[in-house]
Amino acid sequence: MKRANRPCLRKKEGYTLLELLVSLSILALLTVTLLGTGFNSRDAFSDSAYDAECEKILYALLQYQNEAIMDGYRRQVRFLDDGMRVVWTKNGVSQTEQIAVKTLRFTGSYTGATALNLYGHGTVSQGGTINLTSLSGDVKRIVVQVGNGRIYLDES
């Protein structure tokens, strides 16, 4: 018996309605699962912003300490509510720089009336800690050692 050459009724392109419904139901199930487990991208973003600001403060302190060593002029650092202020006088001209923060608060040895002085020979005025507290309550500490003037982020 001879087969008739008939055109195929179903094209091979595109998706069927059933395939689309199955895909959408899987996507909805994954979305509900992620929301139910407490996944929140805003928290992940704020944590990474906090980490970045902690590193920014640490590296700024190290930079100002290196500049004091290079040019011999003392830097005075104050930790305020809205950021870190660094003041120094070079060749009779007073200079000030402000480093703003948005995701953390400062507490510890150098807040209030006490300032951290970074001297030209690499030492500091006093040892202590700078607590970097996130808006959610996480705390990282920058440690300043008296004597050798070492400044580092305490990861413990």
Side-chain angles (χ1 to χ4, degrees), residues 33-130:
T33 303
L34 285 176
L35 291 175
T37 59
F39 176 79
N40 189 347
S41 62
R42 181 173 289 194
D43 289 343
F45 174 75
S46 64
D47 287 347
S48 63
Y50 166 69
D51 291 341
E53 276 199 334
C54 290
E55 288 188 12
K56 176 176 79 170
I57 294 298
L58 173 66
Y59 292 129
L61 280 172
L62 293 172
Q63 173 191 343
Y64 289 119
Q65 184 180 39
N66 285 333
E67 288 177 4
I69 293 169
M70 296 298 289
D71 64 19
Y73 293 99
R74 173 183 63 98
R75 302 313 197 259
Q76 185 179 68
V77 183
R78 292 195 181 274
F79 297 94
L80 310 169
D81 291 337
D82 61 344
M84 180 176 85
R85 184 183 320 140
V86 183
V87 179
W88 70 99
T89 303
K90 185 175 182 179
N91 299 327
V93 178
S94 180
Q95 300 181 23
T96 303
E97 287 192 16
Q98 180 86 13
I99 298 174
V101 294
K102 294 181 181 178
T103 63
L104 57 88
R105 291 176 283 117
F106 298 110
T107 58
S109 305
Y110 306 106
T111 55
T114 306
L116 170 62
N117 292 303
L118 305 170
Y119 296 115
H121 44 277
T123 60
V124 296
S125 56
Q126 68 181 37
T129 59
I130 304 152

Side-chain angles (χ1 to χ4, degrees), residues 139-151:
V139 177
K140 291 187 177 187
R141 290 176 182 79
I142 293 178
V143 177
V144 179
Q145 292 180 338
V146 72
N148 61 5
R150 182 174 175 226
I151 300 172

